[in-house]
Amino acid sequence: MTVLSLFLSFSRKSPQEIIRRKRKKAKQISPAVFGFFRRRKMSPIPERAKLHVAMVVFQTGYAGNHVIVRYALNLGVSKLVFPLYRTIVAFSVLAPSAYFLEKKERPAMKTSFLIQFFLLGLIGITLNQGFYIFGLDNTSPTFASATENVVPAVSFLMAASLGIEKVKWKRKDGIAKVVGTIVSVSGSLVITLYKGPTIYQPSLRLVNRPIKAEEAEEQNKNWTLGCLCLMGHCLCWSSWIVLQSPLLKKYSARFSFVSYSCFFAVLQFFGISAYFERDQERWKITSGGELYALLYTGLIGSAMVFAIQIYVVERGGPLFVSAYLPLQTLIAAILATFALGEHFYLGGLIGAILIMSGLYLVVMGKSWENQAFFQQQQHMISSAASEFGGEENHHNNNKPRSSLNQPLISS
């Protein structure tokens, strides 16, 4: 209901009823907007600093996840069993946290919720991690991280296609988001279709490997297949972001939602691994390096990342998280260079630049859209307050004055 229709609905009420209802309605007008301005005016600087520190930790930890998973693949772990163990570790941390932190605010469970948890676990965790690990096995940590910068653009494209996001073609925010999406998708196509020559090959690495083994591994990689798998990974991630939005409006317990999704993902990974991975030796953890990689990816790459993302999105918004994605790519490139001796290719560099440029165009467009929305809401609130104040003053002028304000003896 608009502010104008709100006032018109009270046109036949008494003045006292008008004032009473307007006061009640004023408290209900966009409480999120009131909270936004209150946080901007009253929140101390350290709170904002906490969000920046949290995002640096988030991106550093997830950049390390790319390198650690690549290291685990070099050790020969199963690409089906490893994600299963990783998800079990993450679930063992998230489930108790969800139970204690959201015990009082967790909505009642329904069959429809369980079905959505199952599907979101399949898309956002099982297929997501499956595409990721097969894509990483055929590419490198840097390019796996670079392709993930396309997630905000793909999420916007999917939301616009489903009618969740409205594109305003005549405004600069709409143009920026559309152009950013096109640039990001173009960068993804460049990475997928054009590998190019090697432009940098480091001579120093922390993990020494035989040169012949490294050359054989490079020859066995299918770069196009790996990039297509990473695109599937980004598509699943974007779908998970878009599809969870309507669910969280009905089921607001975020930790419980992620825990249920992890639980169903464990069942799905177990079924897939049990069917395809018949060799019992592939199910065993045979070295300390594999155990370290498993604990890191489960605790840091999944559990910690989920927790920090929930914390930052609630306080800083999704754009705050998206703006830090290029930092992850930079850190992953540095770690992969010194730890694994990763090669850099021209096609990957060009594609990464295009993807990051498109990312910032989408982020800027979304930021301009939010600014326009809050300005519109503030204008509506100001108009409502001024009109409400004018009617209240008019009503007070028509009321009989108190004897304390009138002369004791009339003239």
Side-chain angles (χ1 to χ4, degrees), residues 76-369:
V77 298
S78 170
K79 291 185 283 293
L80 296 175
V81 178
F82 185 82
L84 168 64
Y85 290 160
R86 169 185 177 176
T87 309
I88 292 175
V89 173
F91 175 73
S92 64
V93 175
L94 291 171
S97 303
Y99 177 79
F100 289 107
L101 294 176
E102 299 175 338
K103 190 174 183 179
K104 296 181 179 180
E105 60 186 62
R106 189 182 303 111
M109 183 53 63
K110 299 178 182 178
T111 305
S112 59
F113 287 155
L114 289 176
I115 295 175
Q116 292 179 77
F117 292 149
F118 178 87
L119 294 176
L120 287 172
L122 175 65
I123 296 172
I125 299 178
T126 305
L127 294 177
N128 186 14
Q129 290 191 17
F131 278 124
Y132 168 74
I133 198 166
F134 278 93
L136 180 63
D137 188 45
N138 286 281
T139 55
S140 66
T142 299
F143 296 126
S145 177
T147 53
E148 289 180 351
N149 287 272
V150 80
V151 169
V154 176
S155 300
F156 163 72
L157 185 61
M158 293 180 63
S161 301
L162 295 174
I164 300 175
E165 182 97 10
K166 294 184 179 179
V167 183
K168 300 176 178 61
W169 299 93
K170 296 182 179 180
R171 288 181 9 182
K172 64 177 182 179
D173 55 296
I175 297 174
K177 288 189 289 185
V178 171
V179 173
T181 301
I182 295 174
V183 172
S184 292
V185 173
S186 301
S188 302
L189 292 176
V190 170
I191 287 180
T192 304
L193 301 176
Y194 176 67
K195 184 177 181 180
T198 301
I199 59 175
Y200 178 68
Q201 180 177 356
S203 58
L204 178 65
R205 71 193 70 183
L206 298 179
V207 180
N208 292 321
R209 302 177 60 203
I211 297 178
K212 292 184 178 180
E214 181 181 344
E215 292 177 350
E217 180 187 337
E218 290 293 327
Q219 292 177 357
N220 292 330
K221 286 183 178 180
N222 188 330
W223 186 266
T224 302
L225 177 62
C227 290
L228 289 175
C229 287
L230 290 177
M231 290 300 104
H233 157 63
C234 293
L235 184 62
C236 289
W237 193 351
S238 301
S239 302
W240 187 65
I241 292 173
V242 173
L243 295 177
Q244 70 176 272
S245 178
L247 174 61
L248 289 175
K249 293 179 180 179
K250 302 177 182 179
Y251 195 89
S252 57
R254 295 177 180 270
F255 277 103
S256 299
F257 154 68
V258 175
S259 299
Y260 278 116
S261 299
C262 283
F263 170 74
F264 285 114
V266 168
L267 300 181
Q268 293 159 4
F269 270 129
F270 180 78
I272 295 172
S273 302
Y275 183 81
F276 289 101
E277 199 66 85
R278 302 296 180 87
D279 186 1
Q280 295 183 358
E281 296 297 322
R282 302 285 287 167
W283 289 72
K284 296 179 180 179
I285 300 175
T286 58
S287 66
E290 293 181 11
L291 179 61
Y292 168 75
L294 178 63
L295 293 176
Y296 184 94
T297 55
L299 296 176
I300 305 299
S302 292
M304 187 200 76
V305 164
F306 280 135
I308 293 180
Q309 186 170 359
I310 291 172
Y311 170 82
V312 176
V313 167
E314 287 181 349
R315 290 162 176 78
L319 292 181
F320 193 86
V321 177
S322 300
Y324 269 86
L325 280 173
L327 177 63
Q328 176 198 137
T329 303
L330 176 62
I331 296 175
I334 295 174
L335 293 177
T337 299
F338 289 102
L340 303 175
E342 180 183 312
H343 298 192
F344 287 88
Y345 299 96
L346 179 61
L349 179 62
I350 296 174
I353 293 174
L354 289 174
I355 289 175
M356 291 182 188
S357 301
L359 166 69
Y360 273 111
L361 283 173
V362 173
V363 170
M364 287 172 60
K366 197 66 181 176
S367 177
W368 290 336
E369 182 185 34

Side-chain angles (χ1 to χ4, degrees), residues 28 52 54 96 152 263 265 270 411:
Q28 300 176 354
H52 289 288
F263 170 74
F270 180 78
S411 56

